[in-house]
Amino acid sequence: EVVLEVESLDKIYGGGGILKKLPQTHAAKNVSFTLTRGRTLGIVGESGSGKSTVARCIMRLIDPTSGRIMLDGHNIAGLSRNALRPHRQKLQVVFQDPMRSLNPRWTVAESLIEGPLNYGTRRADALAEAARMLTVVGLPENALKRYPHQFSGGQRQRIAIARAVMMRPDVLVADEAVSALDVSVQAQVLTLLEQLQDELGIAIVFITHDLRVAAQICDEVIVMQHGAVVEKGAAAEVLVNP
Ligand code: ADP
Ligand code: ADP
């Protein structure tokens, strides 16, 4: 079952509005890929190759210049903020810095239940689910009452993952999500992602510059260079001796 299909995605920065005089950058060129339920697709490539641009288009943080982004059969590429809302829940994001998804002044419980409350879940149900989710991601239940600064970097990333998974997404975009962690903590978080995937059937778009990490977690990979996909295939074949 295909959950995300990116077709002929192009992104050109600059050249419009008040930035007319700046040079244009063709940061994504005819990028296409398909992601099926429960699989992990890696987007790898050197710094500046266009990985984040593709990620930001999928997350709809920026508008693609052209192309289609089919999420569960709906093209979300051209949708306005309002039209996007019903689809937003299906696609969640984990960034390199977990504090991009966590409010430092909110307890873990508040961070975890915010999304479900916005989508109409009752508070008591959301809190019960938050408590369950913490054990799933390997944090003690008493973590609910604590604040992000009371946790280690690896634990904070687990909280950010829990917040994303609370929305029961079909697709999780992990944008350099383990890149800032120590190697041993990296392995633990990768294991957690694989476990969530097995249990919940989430599909993951895994963006990384680290080929070793990509080889560990990805089923398929696309390799980007200067904005274009230069290689694509099974991770075991594309990433030989990472
Ligand atoms: P990666 O994530 O692989 O490091 P990026 O997608 O960040 O690559 O960048 C791809 C290219 O697009 C680079 O040349 C970068 O400088 C350029 N770029 C990225 N973001 C912007 C932006 N907001 N405005 C103009 N150029 C950008
Ligand atoms: P990351 O790799 O963490 O995504 P980037 O270097 O891609 O960071 O981009 C950080 C921010 O700077 C983004 O908002 C991006 O749009 C912007 N940016 C990156 N390259 C350029 C550029 N050449 N011109 C203008 N903005 C850029």
Side-chain angles (χ1 to χ4, degrees):
E1 182 196 353
V2 174
V3 285
L4 179 69
E5 189 165 15
V6 171
E7 292 170 21
S8 310
L9 184 73
D10 268 72
K11 178 63 186 180
I12 301 172
Y13 292 109
I18 55 166
L19 298 176
K20 216 166 4 229
K21 296 233 172 68
L22 292 181
Q24 294 190 344
T25 304
H26 203 158
K29 299 173 189 163
N30 197 28
V31 174
S32 300
F33 60 84
T34 299
L35 182 63
T36 45
R37 182 171 299 284
R39 305 283 285 177
T40 299
L41 174 99
I43 302 182
V44 303
E46 289 173 13
S47 177
S49 60
K51 304 182 300 295
S52 302
T53 296
V54 172
R56 288 194 288 262
C57 286
I58 299 170
M59 302 173 212
R60 291 305 324 277
L61 296 174
I62 58 175
D63 289 324
T65 304
S66 64
R68 303 211 297 169
I69 300 167
M70 306 296 294
L71 178 64
D72 285 329
H74 300 277
N75 184 9
I76 61 163
L79 295 185
S80 68
R81 203 168 249 283
N82 266 339
L84 199 57
R85 219 183 107 75
H87 304 285
R88 203 73 201 75
Q89 163 270 329
K90 292 185 230 156
L91 190 143
Q92 296 290 312
V93 188
V94 181
F95 295 102
Q96 175 167 349
D97 178 3
M99 294 314 290
R100 246 178 107 173
S101 355
L102 303 176
N103 184 329
R105 285 179 299 273
W106 286 2
T107 63
V108 170
E110 287 167 323
S111 279
L112 262 55
I113 67 175
E114 190 211 10
L117 290 186
N118 283 337
Y119 279 85
T121 304
R122 288 171 47 229
R123 192 179 177 81
D125 293 341
L127 280 169
E129 178 61 12
R132 204 190 65 83
M133 190 57 70
L134 278 189
T135 54
V136 171
V137 302
L139 289 165
E141 258 192 58
N142 68 13
L144 279 179
K145 298 193 200 77
R146 290 154 68 193
Y147 292 85
H149 70 84
Q150 297 176 281
F151 297 90
S152 69
Q155 288 174 320
R156 278 202 283 269
Q157 195 58 290
R158 287 169 188 271
I159 297 165
I161 291 169
R163 175 174 153 90
V165 174
M166 283 289 287
M167 297 299 279
R168 291 279 179 265
D170 291 324
V171 179
L172 185 67
V173 179
D175 188 0
E176 301 284 1
V178 302
S179 302
L181 304 173
D182 292 342
V183 172
S184 64
V185 181
Q186 258 185 7
Q188 292 167 9
V189 174
L190 290 176
T191 304
L192 168 62
L193 289 174
E194 287 181 320
Q195 175 199 335
L196 287 170
Q197 193 163 46
D198 287 347
E199 285 171 19
L200 305 171
I202 296 175
I204 300 178
V205 180
F206 196 92
I207 290 132
T208 185
H209 68 281
D210 189 333
L211 300 183
R212 198 186 48 82
V213 165
Q216 276 177 62
I217 191 163
C218 298
D219 300 306
E220 295 117 61
V221 292
I222 64 175
V223 182
M224 293 193 66
Q225 213 171 56
H226 306 301
V229 177
V230 293
E231 232 182 312
K232 165 187 242 178
E237 283 159 30
V238 175
L239 303 171
V240 277
N241 306 319

